[in-house]
Amino acid sequence: MASVRFGSVIRQFSTTAARAKLVTPPIHVFGIEGRYAHALYSAASKEKKLDVVEKELKHIQTLLKKELKLSEFISNPSVKRAQKRDVLSAIFKKQNLSPVTINLFDALADNGRLNKLQGFFNAFSKIMSAHRGEVICTVTTAKPLEQGHLKELQAALEAFLKKGEILQLETKVDPSIIGGMVVNIGDRYVDMSMATKIKTYTNLIKQAI
């Protein structure tokens, strides 16, 4: 069923000639949200409107946070899909959003996927970051890193990047890891936390007893 719905998304985004071949995104994002994000990336790429669509999606995110009644309306399961589609389409047309973006929301509404909006927004954002050569890296530590240590860490992480790639570093604090750090960079994950080491040693001790 998912593949059938995805096919309908592609049909709504592309002309008969254009859908002969989809534009492959720079990274693959899994799940239903990823499928819609891939379809939008392909459609927007063909029309050379990636930057336009990205700005429009950010505008829609801001709109939904500001207009709580609209947000509640599209999340209300008792409202028919067609009604949600028509209301959103009317709003977006009035705001002169591109047909690519409007078609995307038509598809989300028709297929009952408006409840996946946040995941879709995140998926498309990841694809666009990769499109610009950005590599998102999240570093989690038990306490905030000092500025000097942060600079050393950034330099070490940049050494793993390919030519033309740009590091987008985000730091988080999670006291539960006790010490060390957990690093997510691109599709790689490295757990160097003290909590994980303690758990590993504890399991080894239990196996030895």
Side-chain angles (χ1 to χ4, degrees), residues 45-194:
S45 294
K46 290 173 182 177
E47 296 193 16
K48 302 186 186 307
K49 290 186 176 180
L50 276 174
D51 291 340
V52 172
V53 168
E54 183 178 30
K55 289 179 182 178
E56 290 178 345
L57 291 187
K58 289 179 179 179
H59 165 72
I60 292 171
Q61 285 182 277
T62 301
L63 177 67
L64 293 177
K65 288 179 181 178
K66 184 179 179 181
E67 302 293 339
L68 297 181
K69 289 186 177 180
L70 177 61
S71 182
E72 291 172 359
F73 170 77
I74 64 176
S75 62
N76 188 342
S78 66
V79 179
K80 294 182 178 180
R81 296 178 181 182
Q83 186 178 356
K84 292 180 181 180
R85 179 199 64 216
D86 293 344
V87 168
L88 288 176
S89 183
I91 292 173
F92 296 158
K93 286 179 180 178
K94 188 175 181 180
Q95 296 180 343
N96 294 317
L97 299 193
S98 65
V100 177
T101 297
I102 294 174
N103 288 343
L104 177 280
F105 276 83
D106 284 350
L108 286 169
D110 285 338
N111 295 329
R113 298 301 186 186
L114 288 173
N115 62 334
K116 302 287 185 179
L117 270 184
Q118 191 55 56
F120 161 73
F121 288 140
N122 293 339
F124 191 77
S125 178
K126 288 180 180 179
I127 291 175
M128 288 303 295
S129 289
H131 173 77
R132 287 188 290 268
E134 299 171 355
V135 178
I136 300 173
C137 178
T138 304
V139 175
T140 305
T141 54
K143 59 181 182 180
L145 291 171
E146 295 179 2
Q147 194 62 34
H149 292 158
L150 184 59
K151 288 183 178 179
E152 291 179 8
L153 175 62
Q154 184 165 348
L157 291 170
E158 286 176 343
F160 288 95
L161 301 182
K162 299 176 183 178
K163 185 177 180 179
E165 291 183 332
I166 304 169
L167 182 69
Q168 294 291 324
L169 180 60
E170 177 186 7
T171 58
K172 294 182 178 180
V173 175
D174 181 3
S176 69
I177 70 172
I178 304 175
M181 64 179 65
V182 178
V183 180
N184 285 276
I185 180 167
D187 57 358
R188 286 166 285 185
Y189 173 83
V190 181
D191 189 342
M192 299 178 287
S193 68
M194 186 60 69

